[in-house]
Amino acid sequence: MTVKKSPILVLHDLDTVRAELVIARETADARQRAGLGAALAIVEQHWATTDEQRTREWARRVLRTAGVDPASDHVRAVRTLRRAVPGLGLVTANSLVTSVRSQR
């Protein structure tokens, strides 16, 4: 059995964005500081998210958009993810659906 790498690639380069927000907040006037602090909190929340969490959230969005409930129709959910990403393997799609179901 050959194991294929997943065609899903998670990209997140928030280090630069975070650094720029920190600098902007430090140099901002009091009126702007609160908004920049709120933006920084959002970036830091996403910055701390793992690739697995991001991938699971992507799968959850795809299934929600397609109107598929992974708890009640596992097979359709797997098929939906595989259609969303041509080349996504059956084992990977099944694992994603199982992960989405367990993290409800």
Side-chain angles (χ1 to χ4, degrees):
M1 177 176 169
T2 304
V3 177
K4 281 178 37 176
K5 287 191 174 189
S6 173
I8 298 174
L9 176 62
V10 179
L11 297 176
H12 50 93
D13 185 15
L14 296 175
D15 293 337
T16 303
V17 173
R18 182 182 177 280
E20 289 180 18
L21 281 171
V22 167
I23 292 168
R25 186 181 63 180
E26 289 171 355
T27 60
D29 61 38
R31 205 170 32 112
Q32 295 174 322
R33 200 169 292 128
L36 288 167
L40 182 59
I42 291 169
V43 168
E44 286 179 340
Q45 177 184 353
H46 287 277
W47 193 50
T49 304
T50 66
D51 289 352
E52 292 79 18
Q53 290 169 319
R54 291 174 200 280
T55 304
R56 188 172 38 249
E57 183 54 37
W58 166 83
R60 192 175 285 120
R61 279 193 314 270
V62 168
L63 296 172
R64 189 176 332 130
T65 300
V68 177
D69 179 8
S72 64
D73 198 346
H74 188 93
V75 173
R76 185 170 171 223
V78 169
R79 188 173 35 222
T80 300
L81 292 182
R82 293 188 74 200
R83 285 184 179 148
V85 179
L88 182 64
L90 180 60
V91 172
T92 302
N94 183 63
S95 294
L96 278 169
V97 171
T98 301
S99 177
V100 167
R101 288 174 62 178
S102 69
Q103 295 294 316
R104 292 187 117 200

